[in-house]
Amino acid sequence: MPRLVLSLDGVVLKEVPVAKDRTTIGRRSHNDLVIDNLAVSGEHAVLFRSGDDMFLEDLGSTNGTTVNGQPVKKHLLLGGDLIEIGKYRLKYVAEGGEGESGAEVDFDTSQPLRREFYSPSPATIPVKQPSAAQTGPAAPAGATIRILTGANAGRELQLVKALTTIGRPGYQVAVITRRPSGYFIAHVEGDVFPSVNGVNLGSAAHSLKDKDVIELAGVQMEFVNPGPA
């Protein structure tokens, strides 16, 4: 069972199992994890499941929530991620063990596609790659995203990581994950959900197939995965 390890100034205070589909964090007593500190909002953040994934969402808190040092509104959690709320730290331990937080890789901002399409400010987006122990055997590599509309039409992005974040932070963001059973897309941030072949995805992860057309942040793109030769 996944769990949260709460610490302050390096001292572990408690461990909280994440047994429910929604685990709330905040200062008020009705939360699943109560942190009685004025820097923590009454209803500060929530962990929730979406399919096989676990997300952290900030609930409009006064002082915000960070993961691995980066402010987040909604974040797909990986084992080993460090959540900071006020002066408190919460380590997310994935089911089955400690796991490792994925490495952050900045997109090369010298490429127009990666600078203009993904994020005008900031210009880089973290891409996290879980350890093999977390993900199991990876799906066959070779899938790409081909941009169909906008200034970058015709350009392609290879999906070489286990998890690739696409979109515009603060507006609309989704993640494409590479699993043993194939590729999946899930909504992360924004009031409007992405669509695949004209169908709104909602909050659930959606399996991608060759030639699927994704619409995200006002841009249409095609998922290309010819599979094994």
Side-chain angles (χ1 to χ4, degrees), residues 1-224:
M1 180 183 300
R3 65 188 189 275
L4 294 170
V5 181
L6 176 67
S7 63
L8 177 65
D9 297 329
V11 178
V12 174
L13 303 178
K14 66 167 70 173
E15 292 192 8
V16 179
V18 182
K20 304 194 302 184
D21 287 339
R22 288 178 63 85
T23 300
T24 57
I25 304 168
R27 193 176 69 252
R28 293 181 180 170
S29 60
H30 61 260
N31 288 285
D32 299 299
L33 174 54
V34 178
I35 303 177
D36 188 10
N37 184 277
L38 292 177
V40 181
S41 295
E43 289 84 26
H44 196 105
V46 61
L47 271 71
F48 66 93
R49 294 183 187 275
S50 178
D52 295 329
D53 298 320
M54 184 71 71
F55 287 87
L56 170 74
E57 183 174 3
D58 182 87
L59 297 176
S61 65
T62 301
N63 294 314
T65 304
T66 67
V67 177
N68 303 325
Q70 299 296 319
V72 299
K73 293 183 179 179
K74 189 175 179 182
H75 177 84
L76 176 63
L77 287 170
L78 300 175
D81 275 348
L82 288 176
I83 304 163
E84 291 188 55
I85 296 177
K87 294 182 178 180
Y88 290 82
R89 279 193 168 190
L90 290 161
K91 183 174 183 179
Y92 176 68
V93 181
E95 189 168 4
E98 287 285 333
E100 295 179 0
S101 179
E104 291 190 355
V105 180
D106 288 338
F107 284 132
D108 178 3
T109 57
S110 66
Q111 299 296 322
L113 167 64
R114 294 174 178 179
R115 180 178 65 250
E116 297 171 11
F117 173 66
Y118 285 94
S119 174
S121 179
T124 57
I125 297 177
V127 178
K128 291 196 166 187
Q129 185 171 6
S131 66
Q134 289 175 268
T135 60
T144 59
I145 290 293
R146 180 181 298 146
I147 309 303
L148 302 178
T149 62
N152 294 297
R155 293 183 178 267
E156 295 185 353
L157 171 70
Q158 291 186 332
L159 301 176
V160 296
K161 300 295 181 182
L163 188 153
T164 303
T165 304
I166 59 175
R168 293 193 181 119
Y171 175 63
Q172 192 177 22
V173 177
V175 291
I176 296 176
T177 55
R178 186 161 60 95
R179 302 177 182 173
S181 55
Y183 291 84
F184 293 79
I185 184 171
H187 174 75
V188 172
E189 178 184 335
D191 295 332
V192 180
F193 294 106
S195 67
V196 175
N197 301 325
V199 178
N200 188 301
L201 290 185
S203 59
H206 179 85
S207 175
L208 288 171
K209 299 178 178 60
D210 186 37
K211 306 300 183 184
D212 276 350
V213 175
I214 303 164
E215 184 164 350
L216 175 74
V219 174
Q220 288 188 339
M221 61 202 85
E222 182 182 34
F223 174 75
V224 181

